[in-house]
Amino acid sequence: MMRRLQFLTAFFLLALHVLSPSSMAVAQLRRDYYADVCPNLESIVRDAVRQNVEHSPVAAPATLRLFFHDCAVRGCDASIMLINPDGDDEWRSPDGMTLKPEGFNTVMSAKAAVDSDPQCRSRVSCADILALAARDSVFLSGGPDYQVELGRFDGRVSTVGSVLIPHGTFNLDQLNAFFSGLGLSQTDMIALSGGHTIGAASCGFFGNRMGGDAAMDPAFADQLRGSCPGASAAGFAFLDATTPLQFDNEYYRSLRAGRGLLASDQALYADPRSRGAVDRYADDQGAFFRDFAAAMTRLGRVGVRTAADGEVRRDCRFPN
Ligand code: HEM
């Protein structure tokens, strides 16, 4: 009887593991997934991203943010790239509309470069090209050169209604609730927020902070008012004012100095539950790089599709 019970328990656990869609999807991700069909994939994508980054300083931050917005909505399936004829798609949601064209263009040009190699043509998913392009954007800005897991399939669905993205007004509890919904920890969230070491935000995202507050460096408040004269929403400010194009740990040092741009950034230092991690990354860039790479890898596993519920899109903008 006991043996029968043990067998049934073991069988049940095995079945649960094998049948669970997320474990199936994650199991298929491998660093060498395209080694046979497209052996030069990594260098092709990196060269394409390099050209975009050399052409425009916006390309790297825009591509990194695009990857986050892709994975956070319906998983990392390049649904953010889809264009639906009826206009009901992620990128035309209020949050999606703030994504810069340079990010989309970077992925499109990397896809064109991959497909210009006859071996690779139509073999590599847009979701994987986006994951590689995000890593290359980080690396080419001075950040870590981590290995990217590959083998994601592209989704076929994109709707305005599915877009739920954290806002710059979020406090720590709201940030944690959002990231735990993706299966990510508070430490992952703090490390990923370090993505704000590059790029900018429009005045509309921090206009409510321009009067300054007790935690804000008064000189920084002056600087912000200068970036958005007359409280105009047209201007912008860098998320890391010290080294806005360099992927480094200055973002965390800025938070410590009361120079966080978004309320959600400054909340990481204001709240004693997350301050320790901010201090650690501010003091130790190597620790930030290691945790960022690990958190990007975990972000890249969210909602991954398989051949059963996805495809390798020929054109990243449309389902096949
Ligand atoms: C923690 C929650 C997050 C919030 C509340 C948040 C919010 C924002 C906001 C409001 C902007 C400015 C958008 C604009 O002006 O159009 C922005 C920009 C940006 N975000 Fe985040 N974000 C978060 C997490 C992330 C993550 C996880 C990454 C990537 C790892 C990321 C990467 C970026 C980048 C690179 C930019 C600059 C984009 C550019 O210059 O084009 N963000 N974010």
Side-chain angles (χ1 to χ4, degrees):
M1 179 65 188
M2 198 59 197
R3 282 178 64 115
R4 194 177 145 83
L5 199 66
Q6 278 172 347
F7 171 77
L8 280 175
T9 310
F11 178 79
F12 176 71
L13 288 175
L14 185 71
L16 203 70
H17 179 74
V18 171
L19 295 177
S20 143
S22 58
S23 73
M24 270 173 69
V26 169
Q28 82 183 327
L29 292 182
R30 296 198 322 259
R31 290 169 180 179
D32 63 350
Y33 185 83
Y34 295 104
D36 294 334
V37 296
C38 187
N40 298 325
L41 173 63
E42 303 240 352
S43 60
I44 297 172
V45 173
R46 179 157 294 180
D47 287 348
V49 176
R50 183 178 282 114
Q51 280 177 29
N52 280 270
V53 169
E54 282 169 2
H55 182 70
S56 163
V58 181
T63 306
L64 176 58
R65 185 168 181 237
L66 188 63
F67 177 64
F68 172 51
H69 279 231
D70 182 38
C71 294
V73 181
R74 291 183 182 276
C76 311
D77 66 345
S79 53
I80 190 70
M81 310 269 315
L82 285 174
I83 298 176
N84 283 335
D86 62 3
D88 184 8
D89 41 35
E90 291 173 23
W91 72 271
R92 275 176 281 194
S93 68
D95 287 317
M97 297 275 275
T98 66
L99 292 163
K100 301 203 177 95
E102 287 84 348
F104 294 95
N105 292 342
T106 300
V107 179
M108 293 297 287
S109 70
K111 167 78 167 162
V114 170
D115 282 353
S116 70
D117 181 326
Q119 241 188 312
C120 308
R121 187 166 303 141
S122 299
R123 307 292 289 272
V124 184
S125 70
C126 298
D128 280 341
I129 292 175
L130 175 50
L132 288 168
R135 186 275 314 271
D136 292 341
S137 297
V138 168
F139 172 68
L140 294 168
S141 305
D145 190 13
Y146 56 91
Q147 294 277 326
V148 177
E149 294 177 341
L150 300 166
R152 300 168 188 81
F153 281 72
D154 297 322
R156 298 187 184 91
V157 179
S158 172
T159 62
V160 168
S162 56
V163 177
L164 188 66
I165 289 289
H167 285 168
T169 51
F170 274 21
N171 62 28
L172 185 70
D173 288 321
Q174 292 168 310
L175 291 169
N176 277 334
F178 182 86
F179 281 83
S180 79
L182 301 178
L184 300 174
S185 68
Q186 175 173 292
T187 307
D188 290 330
M189 183 273 290
I190 299 167
L192 287 171
S193 296
H196 288 175
T197 177
I198 53 173
S202 305
C203 295
F205 289 106
F206 56 87
N208 57 337
R209 305 192 70 231
M210 286 193 302
D213 55 41
M216 193 185 279
D217 168 9
F220 186 60
D222 284 344
Q223 203 177 311
L224 294 189
R225 284 188 288 271
S227 303
C228 310
S232 128
F236 70 91
F238 293 117
L239 287 152
D240 161 14
T242 316
T243 52
L245 298 178
Q246 187 68 24
F247 197 100
D248 55 19
N249 64 342
E250 285 295 335
Y251 163 80
Y252 298 102
R253 300 168 79 91
S254 299
L255 299 185
R256 198 153 66 177
R259 298 164 71 85
L261 184 61
L262 306 175
S264 54
D265 293 322
Q266 198 59 52
L268 301 180
Y269 191 68
D271 197 306
R273 292 171 294 167
S274 45
R275 183 178 298 170
V278 173
D279 275 330
R280 194 162 82 89
Y281 296 150
D283 289 336
D284 184 351
Q285 180 165 278
F288 164 48
F289 280 11
R290 279 191 299 280
D291 285 6
F292 180 81
M296 284 288 276
T297 304
R298 280 190 279 276
L299 177 65
R301 293 175 187 160
V302 174
V304 164
R305 293 188 191 288
T306 63
D309 61 355
E311 62 188 12
V312 174
R313 244 178 256 156
R314 279 189 291 276
D315 183 328
C316 292
R317 298 168 299 174
F318 307 104
N320 291 343

